[in-house]
Amino acid sequence: MARVLPLSTALAFSLLLWAGLGFSALGLGLALGAGLLGYWGVARWQGRMLSQGPSQAALERLAMKEAWRRGGFLRPKDLFPYMGEGEARALLEGLAARGLCRKEGDGFRF
């Protein structure tokens, strides 16, 4: 999911509203107020989305891409920059249980 920049969204909305109100002084006040509310709403929504963390599917795609970068063999410690070793092991074992990779020694072959 792409990050939305709340300030850019609020400014664009404010300019469109101000233009729609004929560039008047009252329109400027209304546009700035609406833009501030828009900024608050987008920032709050984005904060909720980011606090949930990545989905299981996103983590699986990450593991598969990392395995591709490493020649098809991945150890749980190779995913250390993204998650803990226990979480990585559980993720890779889940992929192996679904037949997307197989366990070989201390790692997994994709």
Side-chain angles (χ1 to χ4, degrees):
M1 180 175 95
R3 275 188 69 170
V4 177
L5 300 174
L7 187 58
S8 299
T9 305
L11 286 174
F13 179 71
S14 296
L15 284 173
L16 284 173
L17 186 60
W18 189 32
L21 295 172
F23 296 105
S24 66
L26 176 63
L28 178 62
L30 288 173
L32 289 176
L36 193 60
L37 285 174
Y39 171 78
W40 178 75
V42 170
R44 188 168 175 218
W45 168 78
Q46 187 175 24
R48 277 196 320 268
M49 294 299 290
L50 292 175
S51 70
Q52 292 174 359
S55 68
Q56 184 68 21
L59 292 174
E60 290 173 355
R61 282 192 306 271
L62 174 73
M64 288 186 229
K65 286 180 183 179
E66 192 65 24
W68 181 80
R69 281 186 56 237
R70 295 176 181 268
F73 186 76
L74 190 65
R75 292 180 299 272
K77 70 178 182 178
D78 295 335
L79 294 173
F80 175 73
Y82 312 108
M83 63 188 83
E85 193 168 337
E87 185 182 358
R89 183 169 302 285
L91 176 70
L92 292 170
E93 287 174 357
L95 288 171
R98 291 181 15 221
L100 297 172
C101 63
R102 65 180 184 275
K103 187 166 174 97
E104 282 186 8
D106 65 339
F108 295 81
R109 174 78 53 195
F110 283 79

